[in-house]
Amino acid sequence: MTAPDSLPAKPQPDPKPLGVAMIGYAFMGKAHSNAWRNVASYFDVPAFQQKVLVGRDAAGVAEAAARYGWAETATDWRTVLDRDDIHIVDICAPGWLHAEIAIAALEAGKHVLLEKPLANTLAEAEAMAAAAQAARARGVQSMVGFTYRRVPALALAKELIAEGRLGTVRHVRAAYLQDWLADETTPMTWRLRKESAGSGALGDIASHAIDQVLFLLGNTATEVSGRTHTFTTRRPGAGGPGAGLEDVTVDDAAWATLSLASGAIASVEVSRVATGQKNSLQLEIYGDKGSLMFDLENLNELRFLDATAPAREQGFRRILVTEPEHPYLDAWWPQGHIIGWEHSFTHQARDFLLTIGNGTPPSPSFEDGLAVQRILAAVEESAATKSTIIELAHTVQPAANAFASNASVHNAPAEGA
């Protein structure tokens, strides 16, 4: 009890808002901007401000900043890292810039949110994970943007698996299918050049599918075999019909088989030429006591089969994931009022801000991104040797050894590739 003659506690000033800078303002920049603009309206998060949007084209970035709610703009990301009022750097730039910007930002003491995949190469990813570890020891946080972890139905799927509702998971099927390159006259973009994109469908969308396999099962991959293919090897130049044809130097589609530490097997298929599939991340998880099915094109629904029920009652049932008891959804609308793809980015911004505010471990961390990158590299290595099985290592190497190899080859044919 407070003594009668004691004075009330003096109110403490609010902490200084975190200043956010975002680098890149195209597709992902638009999605991330929407998240930053809305997250504090729905979730209790540390105070922050949308300080500066960074892009190479002064006029373009100024127009985007005015539209997306950023206070000011810059054309050189390096100058932004020197500013004391910037505490968070959100990197939405293409993959070839990830390593340089992220490592510089971490060394400058900035918290880093980085779009997936972590990097274009395994060597870059190893250096980035080492930099993130060193920065975390100084209280600087980092997170890689595997945003589908924040889809409520998939977060619920992880809860059900962790609760043992599926029993022992035996195998997983993951397919991420799009068709935006099905037309062979679709022109070149940076995503079709290895020097800028690193890889094609493999890094772009297989990274999401592989992360979901590891995330949902809380598991690691021990062996990988894979195959990649490019169906349209030359495309019209970005300058238009008169620009001539350019060589496509990345894959259109990829297939992989993953052996997991738990003994489960996962098959992964991805394509950007799957005619009729717009943005379909399909997941099927089969255990000895139950199964789950999900499709991103119906992201508010999860299918669950309880194999412990009497046989006469068994069958996949639809769970509409819109209840306040479901992950993230107590902040949104009444039951049955669905949310959309963009909400997962709002959830991501919420989780990253809480990681900074609470000092809790980030998820997915750069180390998680490195685990995915090792699998992507193993798929490429396996494909180059006609589906050889690649055995994976799992330690984060010190920065001095960050460019060492992580895989050894087993000269045996892969099953199911």
Side-chain angles (χ1 to χ4, degrees):
M1 179 179 292
T2 304
D5 57 347
S6 66
L7 296 174
K10 183 178 180 180
Q12 296 298 311
D14 291 333
K16 185 177 180 181
L18 298 165
V20 181
M22 191 172 75
I23 302 173
Y25 58 90
F27 172 32
M28 279 296 106
K30 184 177 182 179
H32 282 230
S33 293
N34 181 71
W36 290 116
R37 197 167 59 243
N38 289 296
V39 62
S41 298
Y42 297 93
F43 295 97
D44 292 327
V45 293
F48 70 92
Q49 296 174 339
Q50 289 180 245
K51 283 281 190 178
V52 57
L53 183 64
V54 185
R56 289 174 295 179
D57 177 68
V61 72
E63 180 182 355
R67 178 174 297 177
Y68 300 149
W70 296 92
E72 56 183 290
T73 65
T75 56
D76 185 351
W77 58 266
R78 295 171 184 83
T79 63
V80 173
L81 299 188
D82 293 332
R83 292 175 46 163
D84 292 336
D85 63 339
I86 298 301
H87 310 93
I88 297 172
V89 176
D90 184 356
I91 303 172
C92 298
W96 82 85
L97 296 170
H98 283 190
E100 180 183 9
I101 299 175
I103 292 173
L106 291 168
E107 291 178 346
K110 314 301 182 184
H111 306 291
V112 173
L113 176 60
L114 174 72
E115 255 305 315
K116 62 80 212 166
L118 187 65
N120 271 11
T121 69
L122 181 57
E124 290 175 344
E126 288 172 335
M128 294 165 74
Q133 282 189 342
R136 198 173 303 126
R138 305 190 306 271
V140 178
Q141 299 283 29
S142 52
M143 180 185 288
V144 61
F146 288 117
T147 317
Y148 296 141
R149 291 190 180 199
R150 270 79 192 192
V151 173
L154 289 173
L156 175 62
K158 181 171 178 62
E159 291 180 357
L160 294 172
I161 294 169
E163 291 166 4
R165 299 295 298 277
L166 271 59
T168 300
V169 174
R170 291 165 169 163
H171 62 104
V172 180
R173 296 180 66 233
Y176 201 159
L177 307 175
Q178 300 176 341
D179 72 353
W180 63 279
L181 290 174
D183 184 348
E184 63 183 15
T185 67
T186 299
M188 288 288 294
T189 76
W190 66 267
R191 290 185 180 275
L192 300 178
R193 301 184 182 96
K194 188 171 182 61
E195 65 271 18
S196 53
S199 62
L202 184 64
D204 186 16
I205 53 181
S207 58
H208 272 306
I210 291 167
D211 180 69
Q212 278 300 311
V213 171
L214 304 183
F215 167 67
L216 290 173
L217 274 59
N219 218 319
T220 58
T222 58
E223 292 181 340
V224 177
S225 63
R227 171 102 183 253
T228 62
H229 192 75
T230 304
F231 293 95
T232 301
T233 57
R234 306 194 75 200
R235 289 185 177 272
L245 296 176
E246 294 185 31
D247 290 335
V248 175
T249 51
V250 298
D251 57 280
D252 285 331
W255 300 261
T257 301
L258 314 181
S259 296
L260 304 179
S262 65
I265 302 295
S267 65
V268 178
E269 175 185 6
V270 296
S271 175
R272 299 192 296 198
V273 295
T275 304
Q277 300 283 6
K278 301 306 175 184
N279 193 39
S280 179
L281 171 58
Q282 304 165 14
L283 293 157
E284 301 173 13
I285 304 101
Y286 298 104
D288 62 352
K289 294 183 180 178
S291 301
L292 291 168
M293 299 177 67
F294 171 83
D295 189 337
L296 186 62
E297 291 185 352
N298 294 292
L299 64 75
N300 291 275
E301 298 181 11
L302 183 65
R303 302 278 174 170
F304 173 51
L305 182 143
D306 182 358
T308 66
R312 65 194 295 268
E313 300 173 10
Q314 285 185 25
F316 279 95
R317 59 185 174 88
R318 168 181 174 265
I319 303 173
L320 183 63
V321 188
T322 60
E323 298 292 327
E325 292 81 8
H326 291 143
Y328 300 104
L329 287 167
D330 58 345
W332 296 106
W333 321 123
Q335 299 94 322
H337 292 69
I338 61 176
I339 63 171
W341 176 84
E342 73 279 7
H343 290 76
S344 59
F345 291 89
T346 306
H347 302 158
Q348 176 176 266
R350 175 257 193 193
D351 288 352
F352 188 52
L353 287 166
L354 292 182
T355 287
I356 295 170
N358 300 333
T360 52
S363 178
S365 64
F366 275 28
E367 289 86 347
D368 294 327
L370 173 58
V372 173
Q373 201 79 38
R374 284 185 171 137
I375 295 172
L376 299 178
V379 172
E380 287 190 302
E381 184 176 352
S382 176
T385 54
K386 304 300 182 183
S387 297
T388 298
I389 295 175
I390 308 298
E391 183 177 335
L392 296 179
H394 298 287
T395 56
V396 177
Q397 301 177 28
N401 298 320
F403 294 87
S405 174
N406 81 300
S408 60
V409 176
H410 289 248
N411 293 314
E415 296 181 359

